[in-house]
Amino acid sequence: GSSRMRRDRSAKLICAGCDVRMECADYAVRAREPYGVWGGLSEEERRSIRRQRAAIQRASRQQLTAI
């Protein structure tokens, strides 16, 4: 709901000024962190990144097997 959007927005503002934002986001995606904003990314954004990475890996494997 709207309260969650406000919380996410507030957390993302804090993340925006953090020196380790990229490392935090990377960790959260790799560790499949299920809750909260990590490195400026919400749960949905991290899931989207994981799906994109998985699709790239599948495509890469398909190309290798086609050789």
Side-chain angles (χ1 to χ4, degrees), residues 20-48:
V20 296
R21 184 181 69 79
M22 294 302 293
E23 292 89 343
C24 184
D26 184 57
Y27 165 79
V29 171
R30 286 184 294 107
R32 303 178 69 84
E33 182 60 46
Y35 303 110
V37 172
W38 287 69
L41 299 173
S42 68
E43 296 102 331
E44 294 84 13
E45 291 164 329
R46 290 192 304 276
R47 275 194 296 274
S48 175

Side-chain angles (χ1 to χ4, degrees), residues 1-62:
S2 63
S3 63
R4 180 175 177 181
M5 288 173 55
R6 281 193 301 274
R7 283 194 313 269
D8 282 0
R9 209 173 14 249
S10 294
K12 287 180 178 197
L13 286 172
I14 293 168
C15 292
C18 181
D19 293 338
V20 296
R21 184 181 69 79
M22 294 302 293
E23 292 89 343
C24 184
D26 184 57
Y27 165 79
V29 171
R30 286 184 294 107
R32 303 178 69 84
E33 182 60 46
Y35 303 110
V37 172
W38 287 69
L41 299 173
S42 68
E43 296 102 331
E44 294 84 13
E45 291 164 329
R46 290 192 304 276
R47 275 194 296 274
S48 175
I49 289 169
R50 284 195 302 272
R51 282 193 299 271
Q52 290 170 5
R53 286 183 180 179
I56 290 168
Q57 287 176 345
R58 280 191 304 275
S60 183
R61 280 194 301 269
Q62 288 172 350

